[in-house]
Amino acid sequence: MLSSSRSDHLSPAAERLRYILGEDDDMPNPTLFTEMDTLQQDGDELEWKESARWVKFEEKVEDGGERWSKPHVSTLSLHSLFELRTCLQTGTVVLDLEGYSLPQIVDEIIERQIDEGMLSPDLREKISFVLLRKHRHQTKKPIHRSLADMGKASGGGARHAHSRSMNDIADTLSTDQLRNKFMKKIPRDAEASNVLVGEVDFLDKPFVAFVRLAQATTLGGLTEVPVPTRFLFILLGPTGKAKSYNQIGRAIATLMVDDLFSDVAYKARDREDLIAGIDEFLDEVIVLPPGEWDPKIRIEPPKKVPTADKRKSVYSLNELGQPNGTAGGSGGHAEDEEMPVAHELGEELAHTGRFCGGLFLDIKRKLPWFPSDFYEGFHIQSISAVLFIYLGCITNAITFGGLLGDATDNYQGVMESFLGTALSGTVFCMFSGQPLIILSSTGPILIFEKLLFEFSKNNGIDYMELRLWIGIHSCIQCFLLVATDASYIIKYMTRFTEEGFSSLISFIFISDAIKKMVSTHAHRHTLNYYVTAYKCECLAPDPSESILGSIYHYNLDWSQLSKKECVKYGGSLVGNTCKYVPDLALMSFILFFGTYSMTVSLKKFKFSRYFPTKLRKLISDFSIFMAIMTFVGLDRLIGLKTPKLIVPTEFKPTRPDRGWIVLPFGKNPWWVYLASFVPALLVTILIFMDQQISAVIVNRKENKLRKGCGYHLDLFWVGVLMAVCSFLGLPWYVAATVISIAHIDSLKMESESSAPGEQPQFLGVREQRLTGILVFVLTGVSIFLAPILQFIPMPVLYGVFLYMGVASLSGIQFWERIKLYMMPSKYQPDFPFLRHVPLRRVHLFTLVQIICLTVLWVLKSTVLAILFPVMILGLLVVRKMLDMVFSQHDLAWIDDILPGKDKKDKKKKGDKDDTKKKDKKKGRADDSKDKVRNVKIYCHQLADLEQKKPC
């Protein structure tokens, strides 16, 4: 790892690289595909045969010549790197050559070597002949030559020149090149670097050339894939050193795919720049002792390759005097982790100080993306997301609808829950600032509704009218919060609060799924007293008593009929266990855990080694749907009466004596309209905290959302929907954390073009409004899908709930730190925060979070759950108090720095800037520093020239 202190004491090579790489680049350099061909002799024929290739990692042709090896990290000998350095010092280096064909390029190289006295003129024809032989790539099968062709050739390179065409290489792209499937692994704008190494019998010293073309040019059959060539490295030498030449070729090929050296190769101005690049590469090389590892072992590519930006930043002129590590996060494994910065949510939560300033900024930010929010949803991945979230939403709607019906004497029930979910969700996904958020009912709202109904019933107040005025007041309060940019308070929600809230909701999902499974079968009784002595026979009816019996008496084997068939045909059941009802608990738990286990397994299938990549990804995307269909089919095959999904079939209110519109006046005293402001304040706090914390979790930087946030706009529409649902007598809705996280996970995108051996890179989330809208539209029409949905067993849907709860815990640092309690130190993962924070301090921080989570869990299980939003605000106070227990350094690694601390850091930085301005007044300007640096580089160049030794 490069440290910041290294920039203070740079080597001459590093000083040169700083001058080369320090300039700003508008366009990044293209990805380089590197191919190494070796000269082979088949009888009397010479040809170039592809032996290895690189995009990021090395792939070599196996000794059998039938297949490519697995991608692996290139292991180079230190000697080959020094030999390569010598070759570049003594060979021909041509930069920005105007080349249009391989023969022209070869002639130019040979001419320069002859002019410099490095090659005898009489070898011109032989060198040219060898370099223009045909190239046989791994995609081609060996060419079988006829007897006539074999008779034409007679040994020696010089005799070849007279018997065959000088230009044996194809000038145009072949069909094999154009149809090569390997192009899928290479970015579209990639360029090629070709390495040609071999031994010939007419040279007494190596022929070396490094060429960079001014423009990337397609050189016919030179490269395996139809990629234009930018670099060319040629090494021909006397016989007897083929292994050494091969190692030098592998060395330059590995250097060309190194991000730092390829940048140097593109920007080098002369030979010395390339040598400085090799010197810097050597400075970072790690040597493995030969007696302590097996060189034959191929090192597997790492799961995550560290970026080269940190290496390049050392040479950036714009970062002179700045520490190398100034940004980053505190999650995951990293060898070159950086110091985290203060917690920031960006400009989305800027306090404008103007009336509705934040709301107008949200609208301005989201409006340009509105068309793309629809057409970007047309993707097969969206189908799997819709099916997954739809099943989660209808299960949630039925569950909360049933509980609301019990709590409010059916003033709100399953029908109201379905209609409210469809209406609120559709409007929110259509117009909100963050359409990836899914709205749903929550536990605290349910408890508030129950307490409100009991209060109304005990005091003779109309529940629906009181609820309407609470909704109106809460809507107005939400508007006031939006108008005053109150969402700014979310800036103080650090990882401590986010993880505590999301962990609590995840644990609620997991526990509720298990509780529902247990409660479903807790009161099921079965007559199993005589199950060990099973006896139940079907007796034929008496023909004299039944006309039906006389018809079937002689045609049916009554002893082989099932119970259902026996009763159907008029027979009678006799036996102790004829009334036995099978216990459905075991079957239900098979469906429950089977759905969860199959979903987890299929979700991980994209990392499997079986089947092509696209098929694996398709199976992974549709894992939940496939698991549900599999166990629905199993349930139908077994035929047991497991509890099924019950969906309303008629569009009418659950309670017959209420309509769809709630009138605001006429049933309660006038003072109720004003007094409802107080309970509305509690509802507003609950809505605000639930909505905004869920939005912060959805908008995490780890999700790489590119269309921005909309905290003020989201809260505005939640307030509008509060009033609308209150007038219609529908439940209130707010962001559902777990379902929203599941929605994001189902829409994550990964790179399709990844280098061999490289793990697909996470690109972001498919941000659009279509999936959410379709989910809630389907929820609304579910009352017409009752004949289909009635076949879905409830245990299967509870398994989906369990999966969503467990999946939402993945990636939470809090959960990883809890597991550290049970791990000995030597088995603990290499988390960056463990490198910088003592383990006892990490455990103490985790313990505080566990205590807070336990308190919240106890509160939500009692009547005090109505105070849940206030307790969430209490987490902010606890986090503020942690500043007195932990140092800012420790908190930077295991949590986030509070915004107030960040302002102090900026103030200190401002003081440093003032000091720099004073220094400028004293005569130490930046221009003079650049001049001194240039003089140093010039002195180092002179020193290198004086110490240079001949090859």
Side-chain angles (χ1 to χ4, degrees):
M1 183 182 76
L2 291 172
S3 62
S4 59
S5 60
R6 183 183 165 190
S7 60
D8 299 331
H9 306 284
L10 294 180
S11 63
E15 283 284 1
R16 178 180 284 272
L17 292 190
R18 170 175 285 181
Y19 192 76
I20 300 170
L21 305 179
E23 302 173 358
D24 293 333
D25 294 325
D26 295 332
M27 293 292 292
N29 293 323
T31 301
L32 278 178
F33 166 76
T34 302
E35 176 182 326
M36 187 174 83
D37 294 355
T38 56
L39 189 62
Q40 303 287 332
Q41 186 160 359
D42 185 7
D44 293 330
E45 294 289 336
L46 286 176
E47 65 178 4
W48 293 98
K49 181 182 177 183
E50 185 177 11
S51 58
R53 66 185 181 192
W54 289 255
V55 179
K56 280 188 176 297
F57 302 101
E58 180 179 1
E59 294 176 273
K60 63 174 292 187
V61 179
E62 301 286 19
D63 292 338
E66 297 293 330
R67 66 167 192 169
W68 286 104
S69 69
K70 285 184 62 177
H72 55 277
V73 178
S74 298
T75 51
L76 307 174
S77 66
L78 196 59
H79 185 66
S80 65
L81 289 169
F82 285 118
E83 286 188 317
L84 172 64
R85 188 181 190 278
T86 303
C87 288
L88 289 181
Q89 279 183 323
T90 58
T92 299
V93 174
V94 183
L95 302 178
D96 296 329
L97 175 67
E98 295 291 342
Y100 54 86
S101 68
L102 187 60
Q104 179 254 329
I105 295 171
V106 169
D107 288 343
E108 182 72 24
I109 296 171
I110 295 174
E111 190 65 34
R112 293 206 179 195
Q113 289 229 355
I114 293 175
D115 291 343
E116 295 173 5
M118 302 169 62
L119 183 70
S120 174
D122 59 348
L123 296 177
R124 177 201 301 267
E125 201 171 306
K126 295 181 180 180
I127 293 287
S128 180
F129 170 79
V130 170
L131 294 179
L132 297 179
R133 293 305 88 211
K134 64 175 176 291
H135 288 251
R136 177 154 60 87
H137 305 294
Q138 184 60 17
T139 54
K140 294 184 179 181
K141 296 180 180 179
I143 301 174
H144 298 283
R145 294 171 295 139
S146 65
L147 291 175
D149 291 335
M150 294 175 63
K152 291 180 181 178
S154 54
R159 298 176 66 181
H160 278 288
H162 300 289
S163 60
R164 300 188 54 194
S165 168
M166 285 291 293
N167 299 351
D168 200 16
I169 186 172
D171 295 329
T172 58
L173 296 173
S174 66
T175 306
D176 289 333
Q177 288 175 287
L178 296 174
R179 294 180 179 177
N180 196 334
K181 296 180 179 180
F182 192 71
M183 278 299 295
K184 296 178 181 179
K185 298 290 185 180
I186 304 174
R188 292 184 179 180
D189 60 344
E191 296 178 350
S193 61
N194 291 91
V195 178
L196 307 179
V197 296
E199 56 179 5
V200 290
D201 55 4
F202 54 80
L203 287 176
D204 55 3
K205 64 178 182 179
F207 174 90
V208 181
F210 179 90
V211 178
R212 182 182 70 199
L213 300 180
Q215 296 292 330
T217 307
T218 302
L219 300 179
L222 182 64
T223 310
E224 171 193 352
V225 287
V227 174
T229 296
R230 171 74 74 166
F231 298 96
L232 194 64
F233 178 81
I234 301 171
L235 172 58
L236 293 177
T239 57
K241 295 185 178 181
K243 185 176 180 180
S244 176
Y245 302 153
N246 188 70
Q247 291 299 318
I248 295 173
R250 289 183 61 249
I252 186 62
T254 304
L255 279 166
M256 294 306 297
V257 296
D258 177 71
D259 289 330
L260 184 60
F261 184 84
S262 65
D263 205 4
V264 173
Y266 270 100
K267 298 178 179 179
R269 300 155 302 177
D270 52 32
R271 182 197 311 268
E272 297 303 324
D273 290 345
L274 292 173
I275 294 173
I278 295 179
D279 289 341
E280 190 59 22
F281 185 86
L282 283 167
D283 195 35
E284 297 185 58
V285 163
I286 298 173
V287 178
L288 295 176
E292 299 181 12
W293 76 296
D294 186 0
K296 296 179 181 179
I297 295 175
R298 291 173 180 167
I299 301 175
E300 292 285 335
K303 292 184 179 180
K304 185 178 181 181
V305 180
T307 176
D309 293 339
K310 301 183 187 70
R311 294 169 60 197
K312 292 180 181 179
S313 67
V314 177
Y315 312 108
S316 175
L317 292 174
N318 296 327
E319 298 185 15
L320 284 175
Q322 298 182 9
N324 193 28
T326 56
S330 55
H333 305 259
E335 186 65 29
D336 49 356
E337 76 280 359
E338 300 173 338
M339 183 67 183
V341 294
H343 177 75
E344 290 188 7
L345 290 177
E347 297 179 357
E348 290 84 357
L349 282 177
H351 194 277
T352 61
R354 301 190 305 271
F355 180 77
C356 292
L359 178 63
F360 291 139
L361 285 177
D362 285 350
I363 296 174
K364 183 179 179 182
R365 183 185 306 113
K366 301 301 292 188
L367 203 57
W369 296 104
F370 198 73
S372 67
D373 284 343
F374 289 92
Y375 64 74
E376 287 184 5
F378 289 95
H379 192 274
I380 192 171
Q381 188 182 20
S382 300
I383 300 175
S384 64
V386 168
L387 294 173
F388 173 32
I389 303 304
Y390 164 67
L391 290 171
C393 282
I394 62 171
T395 306
N396 214 33
I398 290 172
T399 303
F400 278 100
L403 294 173
L404 274 173
D406 295 338
T408 64
D409 197 15
N410 285 328
Y411 276 104
Q412 298 176 76
V414 176
M415 174 55 73
E416 287 79 10
S417 182
F418 265 78
L419 183 60
T421 302
L423 174 64
S424 301
T426 303
V427 172
F428 187 83
C429 288
M430 180 72 75
F431 302 109
S432 68
Q434 184 47 271
L436 296 176
I437 292 175
I438 300 296
L439 296 189
S440 177
S441 297
T442 60
I445 289 180
L446 174 63
I447 293 175
F448 180 84
E449 295 273 18
K450 183 178 180 179
L451 295 175
L452 185 65
F453 178 77
E454 291 176 354
F455 173 81
S456 303
K457 186 177 180 181
N458 295 335
N459 293 276
I461 298 175
D462 186 77
Y463 163 69
M464 296 301 289
E465 188 176 293
L466 173 61
R467 185 178 178 277
L468 167 61
W469 279 100
I470 291 175
I472 293 174
H473 281 295
S474 183
C475 174
I476 295 172
Q477 290 166 4
C478 285
F479 289 168
L480 289 175
L481 292 175
V482 171
T484 57
D485 293 346
S487 295
Y488 182 77
I489 193 177
I490 302 299
K491 274 183 170 286
Y492 296 92
M493 296 284 181
T494 64
R495 183 190 293 270
F496 177 86
T497 308
E498 292 175 29
E499 293 186 340
F501 179 80
S502 59
S503 297
L504 176 65
I505 303 301
S506 299
F507 288 143
I508 290 174
F509 257 70
I510 295 170
S511 65
D512 282 355
I514 297 174
K515 282 180 181 178
K516 288 167 187 173
M517 274 301 304
V518 174
S519 61
T520 302
H521 302 281
H523 304 292
R524 289 182 176 268
H525 299 286
T526 58
L527 301 174
N528 56 359
Y529 310 113
Y530 304 101
V531 69
T532 56
Y534 185 85
K535 184 180 180 182
C536 183
E537 297 179 357
C538 179
L539 299 181
D542 189 346
S544 61
E545 298 179 0
S546 174
I547 299 176
L548 184 63
S550 63
I551 296 174
Y552 289 101
H553 186 272
Y554 297 104
N555 297 330
L556 293 176
D557 184 359
W558 294 91
S559 63
Q560 299 299 318
L561 296 180
S562 65
K563 294 180 184 179
K564 188 176 181 180
E565 292 171 338
C566 183
V567 174
K568 178 181 179 181
Y569 296 135
S572 56
L573 298 170
V574 178
N576 295 330
T577 55
C578 287
K579 295 183 179 181
Y580 169 73
V581 179
D583 189 353
L584 302 177
L586 177 61
M587 184 63 192
S588 296
F589 274 94
I590 290 175
L591 298 176
F592 174 62
F593 286 110
T595 303
Y596 167 75
S597 302
M598 186 174 180
T599 301
V600 172
S601 301
L602 293 180
K603 204 70 179 176
K604 296 179 179 178
F605 192 74
K606 64 181 176 182
F607 303 111
S608 170
R609 299 183 179 182
Y610 302 102
F611 303 115
T613 304
K614 288 186 177 180
L615 180 59
R616 294 200 309 267
K617 191 174 185 304
L618 190 66
I619 292 174
S620 177
D621 289 340
F622 284 87
S623 57
I624 297 159
F625 178 72
M626 293 172 66
I628 291 172
M629 295 307 297
T630 299
F631 285 94
V632 168
L634 178 63
D635 177 73
R636 293 290 296 166
L637 182 65
I638 301 298
L640 296 181
K641 295 182 179 179
T642 51
K644 299 296 192 297
L645 184 64
I646 300 175
V647 183
T649 56
E650 296 182 62
F651 186 72
K652 64 179 183 180
T654 305
R655 189 180 175 97
D657 60 347
R658 62 149 289 192
W660 282 118
I661 302 296
V662 179
L663 298 178
F665 303 104
K667 294 183 179 180
N668 290 332
W670 64 270
W671 57 267
V672 174
Y673 310 144
L674 301 178
S676 56
F677 174 85
V678 178
L681 186 61
L682 195 59
V683 174
T684 302
I685 296 174
L686 171 62
I687 294 293
F688 178 82
M689 298 304 296
D690 265 10
Q691 176 66 38
Q692 301 298 50
I693 293 179
S694 299
V696 168
I697 293 172
V698 167
N699 293 315
R700 281 174 177 166
K701 62 181 180 181
E702 290 86 356
N703 292 329
K704 296 184 178 180
L705 303 182
R706 57 189 175 87
K707 295 185 179 181
C709 312
Y711 294 94
H712 312 283
L713 185 58
D714 290 345
L715 188 60
F716 171 81
W717 281 109
V718 168
V720 171
L721 292 170
M722 283 281 293
V724 173
C725 289
S726 299
F727 272 104
L728 297 176
L730 304 178
W732 294 322
Y733 293 92
V734 72
T737 307
V738 171
I739 301 181
S740 300
I741 293 174
H743 190 207
I744 283 181
D745 288 340
S746 64
L747 291 170
K748 285 184 175 179
M749 300 181 295
E750 293 180 337
S751 58
E752 295 181 0
S753 176
S754 56
E758 183 185 21
Q759 296 291 335
Q761 300 297 311
F762 172 59
L763 302 178
V765 179
R766 200 174 301 280
E767 298 178 65
Q768 36 72 48
R769 301 177 185 269
L770 205 57
T771 54
I773 293 172
L774 289 176
V775 163
F776 292 112
V777 169
L778 284 175
T779 303
V781 301
S782 291
I783 55 175
F784 306 109
L785 301 176
I788 299 175
L789 298 177
Q790 67 181 356
F791 293 113
I792 301 179
M794 289 303 295
V796 170
L797 297 181
Y798 295 151
V800 175
F801 262 48
L802 179 64
Y803 169 76
M804 287 196 292
V806 173
S808 61
L809 285 176
S810 62
I812 295 180
Q813 190 200 88
F814 172 49
W815 182 241
E816 298 294 338
R817 284 189 272 109
I818 289 177
K819 292 189 287 185
L820 292 178
Y821 278 109
M822 298 173 284
M823 290 184 193
S825 298
K826 62 180 178 179
Y827 296 121
Q828 292 174 354
D830 187 21
F831 293 123
F833 61 82
L834 288 180
R835 296 184 179 186
H836 300 273
V837 183
L839 184 60
R840 53 186 172 79
R841 306 292 288 174
V842 173
H843 285 336
L844 178 60
F845 187 85
T846 308
L847 181 62
V848 174
Q849 281 188 290
I850 293 174
I851 294 173
C852 292
L853 182 62
T854 305
V855 172
L856 290 174
W857 181 272
V858 172
L859 277 178
K860 76 94 189 172
S861 305
T862 63
V863 180
L864 294 176
I866 198 170
L867 300 176
F868 179 77
V870 179
M871 294 306 299
I872 294 293
L873 284 174
L875 289 180
L876 298 180
V877 179
V878 175
R879 171 59 185 87
K880 181 67 176 177
M881 294 171 63
L882 290 179
D883 280 346
M884 297 183 291
V885 180
F886 295 89
S887 67
Q888 294 302 306
H889 172 270
D890 291 351
L891 290 173
W893 286 103
I894 55 181
D895 190 42
D896 294 312
I897 303 298
L898 292 175
K901 300 291 183 181
D902 187 36
K903 290 180 181 178
K904 293 179 182 179
D905 294 339
K906 288 182 178 179
K907 185 178 180 181
K908 291 180 180 178
K909 186 178 179 181
D911 294 340
K912 291 182 179 179
D913 292 339
D914 293 339
T915 304
K916 288 182 179 179
K917 290 179 180 178
K918 292 178 181 178
D919 291 341
K920 286 184 179 181
K921 292 180 180 180
K922 292 180 181 180
R924 288 180 289 179
D926 289 337
D927 292 338
S928 62
K929 290 183 179 180
D930 291 338
K931 291 178 181 179
V932 172
R933 187 182 302 110
N934 293 338
V935 171
K936 288 183 178 179
I937 293 175
Y938 180 72
C939 293
H940 287 308
Q941 291 178 1
L942 290 178
D944 289 343
L945 289 172
E946 292 174 358
Q947 296 175 4
K948 186 181 298 183
K949 298 179 180 179
C951 177

